[in-house]
Structure formats: C-alpha cells, structure tokens
Amino acid sequence: MDITGAATGDSPAPGPQTWSGALLGATLADVQTAVVVVDDSGLIVSANGTAQGMLGRSFEELVGQDSHDLLHRDSHGHATPRTRCQLRNAILAGRTEHGDSEWFARGDGTLVRLSWLVAPCSGPERTGALVLLYESNPGVSDEGVDEVPAPLSELDRLTLLAETTTQLTSTLNVDEALRRLTALTVPRLGDWAVIDLLTEQDEVRRALVMEHKDGILVEREDLQGPMPPVPQESPMPLSRALRGAASSLAGPATYQGPPDSGIAVEQRRLFTETGMHSAVIAPIRGLRDVLGALTLGRSERPSAFTAADLPLLEDITRRAGLALDNARLYQRQRKVAETMQRHLLPQLPTVPGVNMAVRYVPAPHASSVGGDWYDAFALTDSTHALAIGDVVGHDLDAAAGMAQVRNMLRAFTWSRPEAMPSAVVTQLDNALKHVAEVPMATMILATLALGDDKLWQLRWTNAGHPPPLLVSHDGRTRYLTEAHGILLGTGMIRPRPDAVTVLPPRTTVLLYTDGLVESPHHSIDHGLDRLRRHAASLAHRPLDSFCDLLLEQVRPDDNDDDVAMLALRTPT
C-alpha cells in the first residue's frame, strides 16, 4: 500500500491511525506550505523549499539568522520594533498565534505580504516553533492598493529620532552614514532623499540621491556629482540651507523663474528629473560649521509637505550633523595617520633581475599606524638587506618605536656590510634597552646576494618572527624555520643563529607579519597552513597580484592587527 491511500492487492484500505502515522512522518520537504523552523530565541534552524522560494533566499542565507531582523518588516520596508512584534513575542513565549497580512523581506529587497501561524514544538534537545507563512489573499494582486504610508504618530516620530541617533552614531564612515540617513527617511517621510555636502574647500557636492522605487531604495548616480558654488545673497531654499539658514519648503514652482545662480539651475533639473511636487530642505549643521543640506521630496504620494513637517526634519538633520562631524573628524585623523605611516615606510630599491613588492594594511580598529614595518636597501652593488618586523602596539608610540628600530637597523647594517645578520640583530637588541618606546619586538633580517653560480642566495636570522615562506614556480612550498632565535627586548643574552639557502629561478620569498596569519579563533598553525596553501595556488601569478590576493584570501576576517608584507621573486 502507498501513502496516498490507494489499496494494492487484497490489502485493506488504511485506517485513521495509518494515515496519521504517515503524515506525522513527513519531512519539511513534503509540506507544501512555506515552513520556517526557529529555535526558542528566534534563530532560523531550517526552512523548506517552499519557504526558500517564497522568501527568495537560499537555505544557507536563512539558517543561523534572526528571523525577525532578517524577514519581518513594516509597510515602509523597515524592521519592526522588536518589542512591538507579535510574531517574535509568540515565538519567545512559546504560544500558538496567528497574524494576518504582514510584510516580509525577500532576498532581492522587495516586500511580500504574508499571513503567519506560529506552532510551538519541542525535541529531545531543544525547543522552538514552526512558523507557517502563506499568502493573505492568494491570486489577488496588490496592484492598486493604496500603499501611501500613513502620517507618523508622535510615538513613530520619537522612534525615528531614536533610530537616527543610534544608526548614525554607530558608524565613523561618512558614506555609510549618508546611506543610513536616506534609509531612515525614505519612504517613511518622502519618496526621494538628496544630500548635498560642503567640502573643506567650500565646494558643493551632491553626494547622494536615493529614490524609493518598487519597494527598494535605488541610487541615482546620474543626479549626483559636483555642484556650482553657494551664492551668498540667494534667497532660494537650498542656497539658504547651505549657508546655515532655517529649513524651508520647496516645489517645482520655486525654481521656475529666472535662475539666480548655478545651484538654482541644478535644482530645476532635479525637480524635473525626479518628478517631485513637494520638498523640504534643511541644513545639516556640525558643531562649528554647516556641513550640507538634506532634501526630502515627494513624487508618488499626493500629499505635500507642510510647515508642520519642518521641526521633525530639523531634529533629524541636527543628529545627522553631529554624526557626520564625528565621522569627518575621524577620517581626517585617519588620513593624517596614513600619510605618516606612508612616510615612515621606505621605498623599495631596484635590484637588477629581482622583482620586489610590499604591502601594508593598518589595523582595522586602531589609529591606522602601528608597529609593523618592512625595509629593503642596498649594502653593496651586489648585496641588499631585507627586513621585516613588528613592534608591540597599534598606536603612535608603536609607530615611533618602529621608526627608531628601522633607522638603527639601517645604521648598524650599513656600518658593517660584511657582518652576518645575527651579529647586526644582536647589536640592535643591545641598543633597544635604551629605547623607551620599544618594549619588545620581533624581526627578520636577511641579505640577498648573487653567488658565483649566478644563483641568488638568501642569508637570514630570525628574532621571534613568523618564518619566511619559500614558494617555487611550480607551487611547492616550505617555511624557512632555521635560524630562529628569541625576540628583541627580553634582556636575555642568547646566541643568534644564521642560515642560508639558494633560491632557484622563479622562486618567491615572502616575509610577513603575524597579522596575516593570526586569529583569536584559530591556532597559529592553522593560519600558517592556510597561508602556505593559498601561496602555492598563486605561485603563477605576477608578484603584485600574488600579494593582493594573499591579503584578500588569507588575512582572517576577525583580524585586529596590522599587516606588513615584503615579497621578492628571482628571475628566470
């Protein structure tokens, strides 16, 4: 007998218990309704194919995500407040509940209106719920339904202001802050958001134009770019806002007369291209200066902005101004730090026949300068010194200490060009006792010389640093683990060894700092093995591409250290 209930031979027709057993044994794949399985905290643990198709997301994109944050939306496409979400509260409380005609986000950013049913369930090791999703009115199109958002209540306004503060102060990236600002205001308040910014040279740039279209935000790059200068006497709304005057209302008629400036010409074009029939424009003020202006426009919804909308917009731009001020200050400091770092790190020498490349990536959450460094310089016509090191720290003190270590190393190496690398590093270690900015450091010092057999030789000593990696042109790899000694600054007196190896043609040597291989969630052996395997796969790449792809593929995502790399490749 099959489970459809058709009898075979003389077997009796299935009874109720047989049917129930077959149905209860069905898997999620057999269920024709969209089913999402969540644990008791709301995390998605499974979803059947129907749910994946309905939500436009793969199994991997769903599992492990918070069901509320990933899927549930209000009619504007924004995540609904957690405390006011009936679906989430039912899951957490383990209640059976039902909801009608609510919005859910698909993988492509569009919204779909679904009803839902939460059915608590439990297993031997965990509890959770089945969430069944289905169309509210199957076969009925949403076209023609009035989707114009209702006016914001006082609670909605307070919620929007709180979200604005939270969202904008949680990033120090100006571009990301601008995108968050547009996502907060469109389509809640308007169909369009336009942000004009003043540069440090008092030039105007239309930084972002976003349109709400087909349920998603679309960037209009064709309307962005440089703008004419701000006229000092113009009474037009955007000109006044960019001078820091109060917010004001505007419409197509505002800019229909003879233009008084280039900005007025651009504003007329903006209203024509966007079809906005009503707009509000407010200045974005920082602590000391006007940073720009925010324009919100309406083209789809029929209602026009009124003077009652201006206080809310001014509250939003006031918060945006403080956040942008902080982001700009951070980026200015970061630029100064990066400039300092570039000047601290040297230019590469030209070694006839040898290809060389370097990379430096600052720590993602530090001041953009740190203790990682590299160096390469000529000792004689046929011998060059190579060095890489890491001074403890990720701040200006570490950068200052790094510069001292590098300069002393150069001086000691130049004064003794025939000395073994170990002797020079021992001399440097003794000198570091008198350098307060350098508590401890690791480094490799090597010399590269052309032998009598016309093959390049690498001689090196290692002071507590990750070992160099040798990669042959056919992808064979090995770490140079010889000549390993203690790090600098310990105060211990130990002999330092040297080692030498011959570099066959088309051999790549990679010196790097530990930020390339270390991760708080994996062992150093895991990182070294990962580096070795990726370097082997990239052996045929040009050296610059080799370095770029290694950084992209090997550097751990949870890395919080800077990375320095020095690579060389011998000629054919």
Side-chain angles (χ1 to χ4, degrees), residues 229-419:
V230 181
Q232 293 304 311
E233 305 298 331
S234 173
M236 306 304 280
L238 179 58
S239 299
R240 294 180 68 250
L242 291 172
R243 297 199 304 266
S247 57
S248 56
L249 302 172
T254 308
Y255 291 96
Q256 286 307 309
D260 66 350
S261 64
I263 280 186
V265 174
E266 288 298 321
Q267 283 295 88
R268 178 190 295 175
R269 172 176 171 250
L270 178 70
F271 276 91
T272 301
E273 293 286 337
T274 62
M276 293 189 301
H277 63 81
S278 177
V280 284
I281 304 174
I284 301 175
R285 300 185 184 91
L287 291 174
R288 294 166 296 277
D289 305 306
V290 179
L291 304 180
L294 170 64
T295 300
L296 296 181
R298 290 178 177 174
S299 58
E300 297 300 323
R301 65 191 80 188
S303 60
F305 286 107
T306 68
D309 296 309
L310 297 180
L312 175 61
L313 184 62
E314 290 174 350
D315 276 341
I316 292 172
T317 55
R318 188 178 303 115
R319 287 163 168 76
L322 294 175
L324 288 176
D325 223 7
N326 288 335
R328 278 188 166 183
L329 177 61
Y330 171 79
Q331 291 191 347
R332 193 178 301 122
Q333 291 174 335
R334 185 179 180 89
K335 184 177 180 180
V336 169
E338 289 174 347
T339 301
M340 175 184 175
Q341 187 78 50
R342 283 196 299 272
H343 285 288
L344 288 174
L345 296 173
Q347 298 294 316
L348 289 179
T350 300
V351 182
V354 176
N355 191 8
M356 297 182 69
V358 292
R359 296 292 185 272
Y360 177 81
V361 181
H365 304 299
S367 60
S368 297
V369 292
D372 288 24
W373 59 280
Y374 57 80
D375 203 357
F377 51 92
L379 292 176
T380 66
D381 291 341
S382 59
T383 305
H384 287 75
L386 311 172
I388 196 161
D390 185 358
V391 173
V392 174
H394 307 127
D395 51 22
L396 290 174
D397 287 339
M402 172 269 287
Q404 289 180 291
V405 170
R406 196 199 75 195
N407 291 338
M408 286 191 296
L409 178 68
R410 278 200 170 204
F412 294 155
T413 309
W414 271 330
S415 66
R416 304 170 63 188
E418 303 302 326

Side-chain angles (χ1 to χ4, degrees), residues 149-172:
L152 297 185
S153 66
E154 186 61 28
L155 178 59
D156 290 334
R157 288 170 178 256
L158 293 175
T159 301
L160 174 57
L161 292 176
E163 284 186 53
T164 301
T165 300
T166 302
Q167 290 283 330
L168 298 188
T169 57
S170 62
T171 180
L172 290 174

